[in-house]
Amino acid sequence: MTLAGKVALITGGGRGIGRAIALAFAREGADVCVTARSEGEIAAVAAEIQELGRRGIAGTADIADRVQVEAMVEATATQLGRIDIVVNNAGGGLERTQVGDDDPDVWANVIEINLLGTYYCSRAVLPHLRNAGGGTIINIGSGMGHQARAKNSSYNAAKAAVWMFTRCLALEVWEENIAVNELI
């Protein structure tokens, strides 16, 4: 079990990629907090993690809300004793229209979810990684953040910013034994 004794926090962990990552981490020995806005999905995943013999908890939070993120991170550290790994998976594109035909509030929300959510979670977990003597931040990016595409500017811009944020943060914390990478 390569992750035995580790504690992971997975955002967007109620379904899809986040759920798969959470279960894979648990199979490798990690205790896992799965987070999302909707409690039902993450409660089910936490129960699956427990069936695998690991501690699994559900942490409800809107990652676009810094205060909720900070509370969720603190609750995770309190309940599971530490945090070693965070996977910033929550995100998505909400609009596929041209600039000018789009809704500015929806456009901004895509940035909040994908970029600010990644920043808020990373920032909130850093003290815990430092206390653990190091750790890992994995930001789920997208090939869309590395190429231009019409009618998808909010998502492409957000994921491009996540890519650059990942690179900047990695340079800031590598000497503290904290690895920061993007997975696309």
Side-chain angles (χ1 to χ4, degrees):
M1 300 187 113
T2 58
L3 297 176
K6 301 293 183 185
V7 173
L9 186 148
I10 316 293
T11 69
R15 63 178 183 254
I17 294 169
R19 177 182 176 273
I21 292 169
L23 294 174
F25 277 31
R27 284 186 196 100
E28 289 299 319
D31 295 326
V32 182
C33 173
V34 288
T35 71
R37 288 176 295 184
S38 56
E39 188 173 341
E41 290 179 338
I42 56 175
V45 176
E48 288 182 77
I49 291 166
Q50 292 167 10
E51 289 172 10
L52 293 169
R54 305 306 314 156
R55 292 183 298 163
I57 62 171
T60 306
D62 178 350
I63 63 159
D65 183 315
R66 181 179 52 83
V67 173
Q68 288 185 36
V69 168
E70 290 171 355
M72 178 267 304
V73 167
E74 290 307 313
T76 299
T78 297
Q79 292 177 51
L80 297 178
R82 61 188 286 149
I83 299 174
D84 301 290
I85 304 163
V86 64
V87 178
N88 289 308
N89 171 67
L94 307 173
E95 184 172 60
R96 303 262 195 281
T97 57
Q98 292 186 160
V99 174
D101 295 334
D102 58 348
D103 178 331
D105 292 328
V106 174
W107 202 96
N109 189 247
V110 172
I111 301 298
E112 290 171 348
I113 293 167
N114 290 281
L115 174 60
L116 293 181
T118 297
Y119 164 73
Y120 293 151
C121 290
S122 298
R123 186 179 189 283
V125 82
L126 278 175
H128 299 284
L129 298 180
R130 289 177 174 129
N131 287 341
T136 303
I137 297 173
I138 301 168
N139 296 327
I140 303 300
S142 171
M144 304 287 275
H146 299 264
Q147 63 179 327
R149 182 168 288 175
K151 299 183 179 180
N152 206 30
S153 64
S154 60
Y155 185 75
N156 286 57
K159 288 301 187 177
V162 167
W163 170 63
M164 186 54 65
F165 171 70
T166 301
R167 295 176 64 153
C168 292
L169 183 58
L171 291 171
E172 292 175 2
V173 298
W174 71 271
E175 290 180 329
E176 297 176 85
N177 200 31
I178 299 171
V180 184
N181 290 286
E182 177 194 36
L183 180 62
I184 57 171

